[in-house]
């Protein structure tokens, strides 16, 4: 009973929490939101503790040793001290930042890096534990204090005194002021954690290459882009909801679809170049072979770039983007330093497998279905003033701001659905990763993909013995040993 009496300290009625809410939804939604927040926190905190325990293991995992030893044996490197070939020597000479000796077995190098990888993972999970505690404390405190009604009232008061905007006649403008205020507060509270992660953890383990000036510049650019792109998007979204009538969710769904396509188009060609430099891959054997692979798979590759990821981090990656007949591939410069050309091709074979198998399109379709379902459910709850009164928006003579209705819906009624769907999408992503690995195997690239994945994991100090429950819940990619074993089994079936 005492729990059901919980309500925000600040409400719109008098600023002192005197509003009343006697409906079933009004009575339960506020305490239920706090309970759900705490349950999720405790579960994810428990998973982090399990992962923390796995990072304290000092013995190299036997299954990984057996698997990587098998890869070494297949490539003829185990116990071999043979002189490297000319191509291999040339490949090694290109390495500037990688620490892998490409002419020695992988297993001894993994074993050498095991302690360092465990230390890196332990630092990250300890940081996650602290940030989770703070994040949950902040979320619950904001709810109990009435952060949202307070910020809305202050935004409305400031907008009216400064620009003459009222919350009845200029609701969207006031909503943008409100979002600006909450974004600034969120940026300030989150900044210490970003700084510690980047300049303490990542730098301690040799990954961060970012200067303080670059960090600040990136942050300013991000905030400006959020205002320039996010502001008009939110304004149009709110306008469509207000204009669309009973079936506004259909118009919102269409709008978010076209906006998604628009963002997928401009982000790689306009926004990302604001943060990184993209140069065409130099002519040579690798470039020729990548285009040959793309042509073989009928992938309409038009441009091939190298991105200067090393100016921020020594982590490596590769990705593809583009629509229709205008596809592009981007390789991090760090990736070129860490693996052989054959392994880069195998990694791209895996990435092209996602495209060929329709994973990219299916992920986009699922996202659009998710948005449609979310906004349909929101339309069923949009007029429920009991929900808003429970969180302090209890001024009977004042309209419920559309932006507040959206935020509270996604924070409360939709939050459990979102958690379940996010987990299911994580499982789906892992299934797709195995599928793309099988596709690369079908191209005859299995062994090179295996060695490439080991090298990337080695260079990035990836988790070598993750907790099973933690990895199942969090990892969008299967653990390294699971992927390697699956490909080795495929290789055995062909023998």
């Amino acid at each position: 009973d005492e729990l059901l009496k919980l309500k925000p300290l600040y409400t719109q009625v008098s600023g002192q929490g005197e509003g009343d809410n006697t409906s079933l939804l009004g009575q339960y939604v506020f305490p239920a939101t706090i309970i759900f927040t705490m349950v999720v926190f405790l579960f994810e905190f428990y998973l982090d503790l399990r992962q923390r325990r796995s990072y304290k293991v000092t013995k190299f995992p036997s299954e990984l040793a057996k698997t990587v030893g098998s890869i070494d044996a297949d490539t003829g490197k185990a116990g071999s001290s043979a002189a490297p070939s000319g191509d291999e020597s040339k490949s090694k000479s290109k390495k500037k930042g990688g620490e892998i000796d490409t002419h020695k077995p992988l297993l001894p190098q993994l074993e050498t890096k095991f302690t360092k990888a465990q230390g890196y993972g332990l630092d990250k999970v300890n940081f996650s534990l602290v940030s989770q505690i703070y994040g949950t404390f902040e979320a619950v405190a904001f709810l109990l204090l009435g952060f949202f009604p307070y910020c809305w009232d202050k935004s409305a008061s400031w907008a009216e005194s400064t620009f003459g905007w009222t919350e009845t006649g200029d609701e969207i403008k006031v909503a943008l002021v409100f979002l600006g205020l909450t974004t600034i507060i969120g940026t300030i509270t989150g900044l210490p954690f970003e700084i510690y992660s980047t300049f303490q953890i990542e730098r301690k383990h040799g990954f961060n290459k970012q200067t303080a000036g670059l960090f600040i510049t990136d942050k300013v650019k991000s905030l400006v882009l959020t205002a320039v792109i996010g502001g008009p998007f939110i304004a149009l979204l709110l306008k469509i909801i207000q204009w669309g009538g009973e079936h506004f969710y259909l118009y919102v769904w269409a709008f978010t679809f076209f906006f998604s396509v628009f963002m997928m188009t401009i982000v790689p060609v306009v926004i990302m170049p604001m943060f990184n430099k993209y140069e065409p891959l130099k002519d040579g054997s690798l470039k020729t072979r990548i285009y040959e692979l793309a042509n073989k798979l009928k992938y309409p590759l038009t441009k091939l770039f190298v991105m200067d990821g090393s100016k921020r981090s020594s982590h490596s990656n590769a990705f593809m983007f583009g629509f229709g007949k205008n596809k592009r591939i981007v390789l991090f410069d760090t990736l070129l330093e860490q693996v052989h050309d054959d392994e880069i091709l195998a990694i791209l074979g895996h990435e092209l497998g996602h495209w060929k198998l329709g994973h990219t399109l299916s992920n986009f379709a699922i996202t659009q279905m998710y948005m449609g379902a979310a906004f349909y459910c929101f339309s069923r709850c949009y007029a429920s003033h009991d929900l808003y009164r429970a969180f302090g928006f209890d001024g009977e003579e004042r309209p419920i701001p559309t932006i507040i209705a959206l935020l509270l819906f996604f924070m409360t009624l939709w939050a459990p659905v979102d958690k379940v769907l996010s987990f299911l999408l994580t499982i789906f992503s892992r299934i797709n990763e195995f599928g793309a690995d099988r596709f690369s195997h079908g191209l005859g690239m299995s062994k090179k993909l295996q060695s490439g994945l080991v090298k990337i994991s080695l260079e990035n100090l990836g988790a070598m013995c993750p907790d099973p429950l933690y990895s199942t819940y969090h990892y969008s990619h299967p653990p390294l040993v699971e992927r390697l074993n699956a490909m080795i089994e495929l290789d055995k079936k062909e023998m």
Side-chain angles (χ1 to χ4, degrees):
D1 290 341
E2 290 300 319
L3 186 61
L4 293 180
K5 294 179 181 178
L6 281 177
K7 57 185 178 181
L9 180 65
Y10 180 95
T11 69
Q12 289 185 329
V13 167
S14 65
Q16 297 178 355
E18 295 179 3
D20 188 30
N21 206 334
T22 58
S23 73
L24 191 64
L25 177 64
Q27 285 182 344
Y28 284 98
V29 69
F30 186 77
T33 299
I34 293 177
I35 292 172
F36 177 75
T37 301
M38 293 303 301
V39 168
V40 170
F41 161 71
L42 291 173
F43 176 67
E44 294 183 350
F45 194 82
Y46 165 71
L47 292 182
D48 274 4
L49 290 176
R50 288 177 60 101
Q51 182 72 349
R52 186 174 185 268
R53 185 166 62 245
S54 75
Y55 281 132
K56 289 188 174 183
V57 172
T58 57
K59 182 180 178 182
F60 192 83
S62 57
E63 186 179 6
L64 184 60
K66 179 181 177 181
T67 302
V68 178
S70 174
I71 295 172
D72 281 338
D74 285 343
T75 55
K77 293 181 179 179
S80 172
S81 58
S85 67
D87 288 342
E88 287 178 327
S89 178
K90 181 180 179 181
S91 178
K92 184 178 179 182
S93 68
K94 293 190 297 182
K95 314 279 184 224
K96 296 178 182 178
E99 298 180 16
I100 299 172
D101 189 329
T102 58
H103 313 306
K104 290 184 178 180
L106 292 170
L107 179 56
Q109 298 184 72
L110 268 182
E111 291 173 331
T112 300
K113 282 286 189 77
F114 178 67
T115 300
K116 190 173 181 180
Q118 291 290 86
Y120 177 51
L122 187 60
D123 282 348
K124 288 199 300 180
V125 79
N126 285 337
F127 174 75
S128 175
L129 290 168
V130 173
S131 59
Q132 277 190 73
I133 291 172
Y134 173 78
T136 304
F137 170 80
E138 180 187 89
V140 173
F142 279 3
L143 288 174
L144 292 174
L145 292 173
F147 173 77
F148 283 120
Y150 179 81
C151 284
W152 176 264
D153 285 353
K154 290 300 179 184
S155 299
S157 175
W158 183 80
E160 184 171 9
S161 62
T162 305
F163 303 107
W165 299 339
T166 65
E167 59 181 347
T168 53
D170 305 285
E171 181 193 319
I172 293 177
K173 295 177 182 178
V174 176
L176 294 179
V177 173
F178 167 79
L179 288 176
L181 174 61
T182 54
T183 298
I184 291 171
I185 293 173
T187 300
I188 293 172
T189 58
L191 196 58
F193 294 94
E194 287 187 57
I195 292 172
Y196 185 84
S197 176
T198 301
F199 293 102
Q200 176 59 32
I201 297 177
E202 294 296 307
R203 178 167 290 179
K204 173 184 175 182
H205 294 278
F207 291 118
N208 180 56
K209 309 297 180 185
Q210 199 171 17
T211 63
L214 185 58
F215 178 86
I216 294 171
T217 301
D218 283 353
K219 183 60 64 177
V220 171
K221 287 180 181 178
S222 297
L223 289 172
V224 171
L225 287 170
T226 298
V228 171
I229 298 177
F233 168 76
I234 292 296
L236 283 171
L237 177 67
L238 298 179
K239 190 67 177 179
I240 292 170
I241 292 173
Q242 295 172 356
W243 163 83
E246 183 180 353
H247 301 292
F248 72 81
Y249 60 90
L250 294 175
Y251 304 110
V252 169
W253 193 6
F255 171 66
T256 56
F257 171 81
F258 286 110
F259 183 78
S260 297
V261 174
F262 170 72
M263 290 302 294
M264 290 171 66
T265 303
I266 70 163
V267 166
V269 298
V270 177
I271 296 177
M272 291 173 61
M274 296 180 182
F275 296 88
N276 289 94
K277 185 178 180 180
Y278 294 80
E279 294 183 340
L281 180 64
K282 294 180 180 179
D283 292 337
S285 172
L286 178 60
K287 183 176 183 178
T288 300
R289 295 172 68 190
I290 291 175
Y291 273 100
E292 289 174 350
L293 176 62
N295 290 334
K296 178 181 178 180
L297 300 176
K298 294 181 171 52
Y299 180 78
L301 178 61
T302 56
K303 293 184 180 180
L304 184 56
F305 294 109
V306 176
M307 190 187 88
D308 62 338
S310 58
K311 80 175 185 178
R312 288 183 176 80
S313 172
S314 58
H315 290 299
S316 56
N317 201 358
F319 62 92
M320 307 179 303
F321 64 92
F323 284 100
K325 301 296 183 181
N326 185 26
K327 305 286 190 182
R328 306 177 186 191
I329 291 177
V330 175
L331 305 173
F332 280 39
D333 54 358
T334 48
L335 182 66
L336 297 176
E337 296 175 345
Q338 294 173 1
V339 296
H340 286 306
D341 289 358
D342 286 344
E343 291 159 341
I344 291 176
L345 284 167
I347 292 167
L348 290 179
H350 167 94
E351 297 300 330
L352 288 167
H354 284 303
W355 170 78
K356 195 71 173 180
L357 296 171
H359 296 164
T360 305
L361 186 60
S362 64
N363 285 333
F364 181 75
I366 290 171
T367 300
Q368 298 311 309
M369 291 170 62
Y370 170 89
M371 296 299 294
F375 279 106
Y376 171 77
C377 292
F378 170 65
S379 71
R380 302 299 92 185
C381 307
Y382 184 31
S384 177
H385 285 232
D386 289 340
L387 170 64
Y388 316 128
R389 279 195 292 268
F391 287 86
F393 291 89
D394 51 1
E396 296 293 340
E397 304 300 322
R398 300 175 64 180
I400 298 299
T402 305
I403 189 63
I404 296 300
L406 268 173
L407 289 174
L408 290 181
F409 169 76
F410 282 102
M411 282 175 51
T412 58
L413 303 181
W414 191 252
V417 179
D418 183 65
K419 275 294 177 183
V420 173
L421 291 179
S422 295
F423 175 68
L424 293 177
L425 288 176
T426 298
I427 300 298
F428 182 65
S429 173
R430 290 159 67 99
I431 293 172
N432 286 346
E433 290 303 318
F434 281 123
D437 286 345
R438 288 193 297 272
F439 184 85
S440 186
H441 172 271
L443 296 174
M445 297 176 170
S446 176
K447 295 189 185 302
K448 292 301 181 182
L449 179 58
Q450 293 169 42
S451 60
L453 290 175
V454 173
K455 290 178 181 178
I456 291 173
S457 179
L458 194 157
E459 288 282 8
N460 290 277
L461 298 181
M464 299 188 197
C465 53
D467 175 77
L469 189 57
Y470 179 93
S471 62
T472 299
Y473 183 78
H474 283 293
Y475 285 10
S476 62
H477 288 55
L480 175 65
V481 69
E482 293 183 19
R483 296 180 67 182
L484 297 178
N485 282 335
M487 284 185 278
I488 289 173
E489 287 302 312
L490 290 174
D491 292 340
K492 288 178 179 179
K493 290 179 181 179
E494 289 191 348
M495 295 177 64

